[in-house]
Amino acid sequence: MHRRIAALAVTVATAGTMLLGAASTASATGPGFYLRSHHASLAECQAVGNAGADNALWSRVFICNPFAGKPGVYELWVRY
């Protein structure tokens, strides 16, 4: 019984931490930005962002943020 309660508490705490991490990343980009993709490096994220802007898939304004859930992963946020 105690193990189940402890496991539930850990699960709830982990889920809450993940939600807060996602919320902080989204709020750092500002209004009007949309998550487009995830990339293995900052250079790759910027290259994809520039390629989409050059092809008019989204505006010239894009942001590459570190992903809070995994170190070494970058999120591409774009404005359409």
Side-chain angles (χ1 to χ4, degrees):
M1 177 79 172
H2 293 289
R3 288 184 186 170
R4 282 190 225 167
I5 293 172
L8 179 62
V10 169
T11 303
V12 169
T14 303
T17 302
M18 290 176 69
L19 286 174
L20 287 174
S24 66
T25 302
S27 63
T29 59
F33 282 88
Y34 300 92
L35 179 60
R36 176 71 183 176
S37 55
H38 292 87
H39 302 279
S41 70
L42 180 59
E44 179 184 322
C45 181
Q46 291 173 338
V48 172
N50 283 321
D54 290 342
N55 294 321
L57 297 175
W58 48 79
S59 75
R60 277 264 175 238
V61 180
F62 65 88
I63 299 172
C64 291
N65 277 340
F67 181 50
K70 273 192 167 178
V73 175
Y74 291 86
E75 299 175 322
L76 174 63
W77 291 82
V78 299
R79 286 186 112 165
Y80 289 99

